[in-house]
Amino acid sequence: MAIGLDDDALTRARFDTLQARIRKAPENFLDAGMILEVGRGRRDVLRGAFVAALAALGGSARAVAEEAKPAGEDAILKLPPWSTSLGRPVAATPYGMPSKYETAMLRRQSPGLTQVAASSVSFMPLQGMFGIITPSGLHFERHHQGWQEIDPSQHRLMVHGSSDEFVRKAKVYTLDDLMRIPSVSRMHFIECGANTGMEWGNVAVPTVQYTHGMLSCSEFTGVPLRTLLEDCGVDLKKAKFVLAEGADGSSMTRTIPIELVTSGEAIVAYGQNGEMLRPENGYPLRLVVPGVQGVSWVKWLRRIKVGDQPWATKDEAVHYMDLMPDGQHRQYTSIQECKSVITSPSGGQTLLDKGSYNVTGLAWSGRGKISRVDVSFDGGVNWVGAQLQTPVLPKCLTRFNVGWIWDGGPALLQSRAMDETGFVQPGYRQLRDVRGVRSIYHNNAIQSWKVSESGEVGNVQIL
Amino acid sequence: MSRFFKSLALALLLGASMPAAFALDDFAAVGRPATPAEIKAWDIDVGPDFAGLPQGSGSVEQGQAVFEEKCAVCHGSFGESNKVFSPLVGGVEKGDLVTGHVAALLRKDFPARTTFMKVATVSTLFDYIRRAMPWNAPKSLNNDQVYAVLAYLLNLSDIVTDDFVLNDRTIRDVQKIMPNRNGMTYEHSMWPSPVFSGKPVKPDTANTACMSKCKAAPELVSSLPDYALSSHGNLAEQNRSFGEVRGRKTAESAPVAEKPTPLKIAETAGCLGCHAINAKGVGPAYAEVAAKYKGENASARLVAKIRGGGAGVWGDVAMPAQEDIKDADLQAVVAWVLAGAAEK
C-alpha cells in the first residue's frame, strides 16, 4: 500500500507503548505511614512491603520464584551500551549538531509551488517544534534571487535621506561601528505575508509544515534603527517613510513604516539566538520589523533611506498586494494579524491510541501580545480555554497547551487566538466574505484538523 | 578635543536653536560621513514621483534585441512564459488604458495575473529591472538598456507603439496610461498608521470569542484529496518516530544515499538555477552538453571552464566563474554531465 497508514510501524509503536505501560517498576509502593515507620527503624515493615509489592505485580509467590525471567522490559532490565561504556569527549563536535536520531525535523520545499529553487521558499517543521524559539538552522527561508555569503569585514550600512531635510548627515557604518553601539535583544516572530497562501481557496497541502511553516521566531540582537537615524541627524517630524535595501543581487527594497522606527521597535540586527545571523537569514545584517510581514525584514541590509513618499518597489507594487473581490489590490498591507494553529496533533499525523493527549500550538499577532487562545474539538461549536505558556511577549510566538482525552471517535480540532487589542482570529467564512479567495496574502483563518476513528489526522476547512 | 566632546560642545552652543529631533553624532568615533560618490553608487531607487530617475533613452526595437539576448531565456521572447517565473505580459485590454483598471482581474475565467495586469506605477518596473535584472547578472544593464527593455515590455502590452522611444521625459506620459494605475486601494488596517488611507480603518473581520453552542454544526467545505497526500513525500519521515503521534506513511522511503548524487551536488551548488537536464535554460541543457562532447575527453576542459567561467560556446550569456564548489564535487558533476546527466 503506497498511500495510507503504515500498518507495521503503527502496530509496532502501539505495542511499544503498551510494553512501556503495563510493566510498572515497583516504585512508590511505600505509603506515608510506612515511610514513617521505616524511618523509625522498623525494617520488618519494609520487608513486608516488598513482598506485597511483588505480589501486586501479578505473580505472588510465583514472581519471586521465577527470578530467571523477571517481569519488566528489556529497556530497563538490560543495561544499554550508553549506560555501560565511556562516552565521547568534549568538543568532539566543535559546533554541536542534533542527535543522529533527529532526521525528521528539516526545512522542506513544497513541490510545485515555485519553479526555481533560488527564488523559492523552504518551510519550517512546525509539527515537531517545542516552545517558541525556532532553531536557527530550521528558520524558514524565502529568497528572491538566491542567498549570499557576505564577508562581514566588507559589509557596509549606509544611512541617508531623500534630501538633506530628512537626514542632515549621510553616514556609513561597519559591523565594527554597529557593535560599539548599545544593543537590544528582543524575541519576535517573523511570518511571510504569503504564509497559508496556498489555502485561500481550498485545502492544498497535507501538513502544518506546509500550511503554516513560513513562520519562525528568534531572539534578535542589534541596534534600534531609530538610534542610527538620530545619529545621522534625522528629522522625525518630516520623515514619513523609510526605504530598506539589501546587498544581494536582488537588492530587495521595501518601504518601512516610520511608526515602527520612531517607536524604537525596528532593529538593525546582527544577532539571532545568541549567535550571528545565519547567511540564509541575512548575515551579517538584517532589518527586524516586529509584527510586519517577513518581506519587510530586509536581509543583507546595506542601505536605509529616509523620505516622505512610499517607494512602490517591486515587492509592494507587483507582489505582496492583496487582490480583493472588486478587482482592486490592497497595497502596503504589512501587519500580520492575529493567528494561531495547532501544531500537534496536526495534518499527516496519526494518534497512537485512545487516551490523553497534549494539544499544543502557536499563536501570534502583529499588533501586540496574545491575550487568549481557545481550542475546539467539535469544529467550532464549543470551545475551551487553552493554557498560555510563558513568556507571552508582544509580536512574538506564544505557545499554548490544552489536555485532551481522545475517546477514539472523530473530532475536528481548531484553535482561535485573541490579541491584546481584542481582535479575534477569523474563520474562513468571515475572511472570504470580505476578501474572497484570490488574495494569496495574509490568510489568518482558523485552521481545522480532522481526527478520524483510525487516529489519522487530516487537513480540512470548516466554515 | 575628541569628536564626542566637540559635538557635545556644539550641541550646548546651539542647544536653544536646534530642533529636538536632531541628535547628530551620538556615538564618538562610530560611523563616518558617506561621500557623495558612495551615495551616488548605491542610491539607485526610483520612486513613483520619478525622483532618482536617471537620464537615458531606449527604443522598442533596441529593447527587443536586449530582451531576446538576456531576458527571453526565462521570460520567453514575448514576456509570456510561465516556465521559470510568472508571465510579465498578457491580460491587458485597450480599454484598461482609459479606465486605469485591468478588467481581467475581475474575470473568473482568467486566473493568470501578469505583471502588467497588477502594477500601477511604471517607476516600479524601471527600478526593478535596473537593480535586479537579468536574474543571474543583476545590475549589468546600463540605463539606456533598462529604458529599452522597459519600452519593449510596454509595447508588448500595447501601451506604446512600435516606434516608441522611452526616456526620462516620455516615461511620465506612460504613467498616465498605465493599465492598472487606479487599481490600488489603501482602505485597510494593515499599515500601522492612517498615512495612506487618510483616516483610521478598522480590521475587516470581527470574530467573537463565543465559547459554547456557537453554531448548529460545523460545515466542512474542503479536505485534502487522497492523491494529494503523497504529493509532499513520505510524511512518516517528516515526523519523529517517538512522541504522541507518528507521521502517516504516504510514500515509499527513498533509499538512503551513501553520498550526495551529482544531481544533488549540482542543485546545492546552484548549477540548476541556469541549467536544466533536458531543457535549455539560461545555460545549455546538460543533455546538450553531453551530446556536444560525446566521444571527446572533455572532462578537464569543462572543469577548467566551470571553475574559471566563460562565454561564447552556447550563446552570449556568460557562465560565471564557480569558485566555491569543491574539486571532487566539480569532477563528479562534470563526469555525470558528460555521461548523459541521468536524473536518477
Side-chain angles (χ1 to χ4, degrees):
Chain A
M1 186 166 62
I3 299 171
L5 196 64
D6 181 355
D7 290 320
D8 290 349
L10 197 71
T11 308
R12 211 161 45 241
R14 284 178 172 154
F15 180 75
D16 291 347
T17 309
L18 224 55
Q19 287 290 298
R21 195 179 295 159
I22 54 172
R23 295 188 182 170
K24 287 207 170 76
E27 56 202 358
N28 302 327
F29 64 89
L30 298 182
D31 66 26
M34 285 181 176
I35 290 169
L36 262 179
E37 293 202 85
V38 173
R40 290 190 197 110
R42 298 237 1 233
R43 293 212 177 82
D44 56 325
V45 173
L46 189 57
R47 267 197 299 277
F50 258 123
V51 173
L54 286 170
L57 267 176
S60 66
R62 197 156 49 84
V64 182
E66 287 183 13
E67 272 186 352
K69 198 182 174 192
E73 59 171 333
D74 286 351
I76 293 171
L77 298 175
K78 291 185 181 168
L79 290 176
W82 50 85
S83 298
T84 55
S85 61
L86 175 63
R88 274 161 272 193
V90 299
T93 48
Y95 194 104
M97 296 299 289
S99 161
K100 68 175 182 180
Y101 297 103
E102 287 299 303
T103 56
M105 296 305 135
L106 301 174
R107 295 192 282 223
R108 295 183 173 91
Q109 293 192 69
S110 186
L113 180 61
T114 56
Q115 296 101 320
V116 198
S119 177
S120 190
V121 180
S122 72
F123 294 79
M124 195 264 272
L126 282 163
Q127 68 273 22
M129 296 289 103
F130 312 116
I132 57 174
I133 294 294
T134 306
S136 296
L138 295 179
H139 194 293
F140 85 92
E141 297 171 281
R142 171 75 174 109
H143 315 305
H144 292 88
Q145 215 151 335
W147 58 275
Q148 300 281 355
E149 283 269 22
I150 291 181
D151 176 353
S153 71
Q154 296 302 309
H155 189 70
R156 302 289 181 269
L157 174 68
M158 182 184 290
V159 178
H160 69 126
S162 292
S163 71
D164 292 348
E165 61 176 309
F166 298 107
V167 174
R168 282 204 300 161
K169 185 175 180 178
K171 278 193 171 185
V172 172
Y173 299 90
T174 60
L175 266 295
D176 295 351
D177 292 323
L178 295 171
M179 288 177 167
R180 289 168 68 176
I181 298 173
S183 64
V184 296
S185 293
R186 296 191 195 125
M187 291 194 262
H188 291 296
F189 78 81
I190 172 172
E191 183 184 21
C192 177
N195 200 23
T196 324
M198 290 183 278
E199 303 249 317
W200 260 108
N202 50 267
V203 167
V205 288
T207 78
V208 71
Q209 177 161 17
Y210 307 105
T211 59
H212 288 75
M214 285 194 261
L215 172 74
S216 293
C217 184
S218 301
E219 184 196 63
F220 293 98
T221 298
V223 180
L225 178 54
R226 181 183 172 128
T227 304
L228 296 180
L229 294 191
E230 288 179 339
D231 188 47
C232 295
V234 69
D235 186 340
L236 287 175
K237 289 202 182 73
K238 288 205 173 104
K240 294 271 188 295
F241 300 97
V242 167
L243 182 76
E245 180 181 78
D248 61 317
S250 77
S251 294
M252 215 201 62
T253 42
R254 277 284 299 194
T255 303
I256 308 297
I258 194 76
E259 295 78 11
L260 296 172
V261 179
T262 51
S263 71
E265 289 171 272
I267 305 169
V268 174
Y270 41 80
Q272 179 182 349
N273 296 333
E275 59 182 2
M276 282 295 293
L277 292 163
R278 295 292 174 92
E280 303 95 309
N281 304 129
Y283 181 97
L285 213 57
R286 88 174 303 170
L287 196 62
V288 168
V289 194
V292 169
Q293 62 186 352
V295 67
S296 291
W297 297 40
V298 173
K299 294 186 282 191
W300 313 291
L301 182 70
R302 79 166 190 182
R303 189 165 69 103
I304 293 287
K305 184 176 186 177
V306 182
D308 62 357
Q309 298 292 321
W311 276 267
T313 72
K314 185 264 288 179
D315 287 304
E316 53 202 22
V318 178
H319 305 299
Y320 300 92
M321 309 187 297
D322 310 27
L323 180 60
M324 294 294 110
D326 66 357
Q328 295 292 95
H329 281 93
R330 284 182 177 172
Q331 199 178 16
Y332 299 112
T333 46
S334 296
I335 292 175
Q336 296 296 106
E337 293 187 306
C338 189
K339 187 168 172 179
S340 71
V341 66
I342 293 170
T343 54
S344 181
S346 59
Q349 298 179 334
T350 302
L351 303 180
L352 284 181
D353 197 0
K354 293 177 195 172
S356 289
Y357 283 89
N358 180 37
V359 174
T360 186
L362 293 163
W364 62 99
S365 167
R367 292 207 174 88
K369 288 181 189 173
I370 291 297
S371 58
R372 71 188 255 194
V373 177
D374 302 311
V375 170
S376 174
F377 299 96
D378 59 10
V381 179
N382 299 292
W383 298 80
V384 294
Q387 199 77 35
L388 300 189
Q389 182 173 299
T390 54
V392 178
L393 299 168
K395 306 180 184 181
C396 182
L397 294 187
T398 296
R399 172 67 62 177
F400 65 86
N401 296 290
V402 62
W404 177 48
I405 295 176
W406 182 47
D407 61 7
L412 291 166
L413 272 54
Q414 297 182 317
S415 66
R416 179 187 67 194
M418 182 199 276
D419 68 20
E420 62 180 326
T421 70
F423 178 89
V424 180
Q425 181 184 5
Y428 266 107
R429 189 195 301 277
Q430 291 158 320
L431 210 51
R432 287 176 183 158
D433 279 353
V434 193
R435 302 190 203 164
V437 296
R438 298 195 297 155
S439 165
I440 299 177
Y441 301 100
H442 302 110
N443 177 358
N444 64 328
I446 290 172
Q447 170 70 43
S448 307
W449 305 119
K450 180 184 178 183
V451 180
S452 61
E453 285 161 322
S454 65
E456 291 177 348
V457 188
N459 184 6
V460 296
Q461 287 184 353
I462 289 173
L463 296 182
Chain B
M1 194 157 56
S2 79
R3 227 172 104 195
F4 176 76
F5 283 109
K6 267 186 198 160
S7 13
L8 191 68
L10 187 74
L12 287 171
L13 200 67
L14 303 175
S17 61
M18 268 179 61
F22 288 177
L24 196 57
D25 292 336
D26 276 343
F27 306 101
V30 168
R32 62 164 178 84
T35 71
E38 288 174 336
I39 296 174
K40 192 176 170 218
W42 278 10
D43 187 10
I44 57 171
D45 53 88
V46 179
D49 56 0
F50 298 110
L53 186 71
Q55 287 191 340
S57 77
S59 68
V60 170
E61 199 181 339
Q62 289 164 335
Q64 182 171 12
V66 177
F67 196 87
E68 190 57 44
E69 180 193 331
K70 297 175 186 287
C71 317
V73 284
C74 290
H75 294 294
S77 290
F78 305 101
E80 83 298 345
S81 173
N82 197 23
K83 196 180 71 189
V84 185
F85 300 107
S86 301
L88 302 175
V89 169
V92 171
E93 297 160 22
K94 272 286 174 203
D96 301 341
L97 274 55
V98 178
T99 62
H101 292 280
V102 168
L105 288 171
L106 285 168
R107 276 169 52 189
K108 292 203 166 64
D109 62 336
F110 198 91
R113 277 178 256 172
T114 68
T115 297
F116 274 90
M117 289 170 67
K118 293 186 285 184
V119 69
T121 36
V122 69
S123 62
T124 303
L125 303 176
F126 186 95
D127 175 278
Y128 182 66
I129 295 167
R130 182 161 69 145
R131 74 173 54 246
M133 290 293 113
W135 203 54
N136 60 338
K139 305 176 191 67
S140 62
L141 301 181
N142 64 38
N143 289 335
D144 288 343
Q145 287 176 312
V146 176
Y147 276 110
V149 166
L150 182 50
Y152 177 61
L153 290 173
L154 290 163
N155 176 253
L156 287 175
S157 301
D158 285 333
I159 298 168
V160 302
T161 52
D162 294 351
D163 57 355
F164 190 77
V165 176
L166 187 70
N167 60 38
D168 46 300
R169 292 177 310 282
T170 56
I171 197 171
R172 293 159 205 268
D173 301 327
V174 170
Q175 179 56 45
K176 293 174 192 153
I177 51 169
M178 283 294 281
N180 202 39
R181 65 188 177 279
N182 299 321
M184 299 297 139
T185 173
Y186 311 115
E187 292 289 314
H188 60 77
S189 64
M190 288 156 81
W191 188 266
S193 76
V195 66
F196 287 110
S197 54
K199 59 180 191 305
V201 180
K202 281 188 184 163
D204 60 0
T205 60
N207 200 3
T208 57
C210 166
M211 294 305 284
S212 60
K213 296 179 185 163
C214 301
K215 53 189 170 189
E219 190 184 338
L220 200 152
V221 291
S222 178
S223 54
L224 196 70
D226 278 346
Y227 68 81
L229 249 185
S230 59
S231 64
H232 286 64
N234 184 3
L235 302 180
E237 292 170 354
Q238 302 180 20
N239 286 272
R240 293 193 179 90
S241 56
F242 57 92
E244 67 173 356
V245 293
R246 297 291 182 275
R248 291 168 68 176
K249 184 179 178 187
T250 52
E252 291 304 323
S253 304
V256 180
E258 287 294 308
K259 54 183 180 183
T261 62
L263 176 62
K264 189 76 198 166
I265 296 170
E267 187 186 355
T268 308
C271 311
L272 303 188
C274 293
H275 298 278
I277 289 170
N278 288 310
K280 183 170 165 51
V282 175
Y286 285 144
E288 291 180 85
V289 178
K292 182 180 174 82
Y293 295 109
K294 198 173 164 91
E296 294 178 43
N297 188 6
S299 178
R301 202 145 39 105
L302 283 191
V303 166
K305 181 140 190 161
I306 294 168
R307 188 63 88 195
V313 182
W314 297 95
D316 294 329
V317 180
M319 160 93 185
Q322 303 298 317
E323 290 160 0
D324 292 337
I325 186 168
K326 283 188 236 152
D327 280 336
D329 285 350
L330 178 52
Q331 276 157 11
V333 170
V334 167
W336 167 71
V337 168
L338 290 175
E343 286 192 55
K344 295 275 172 177

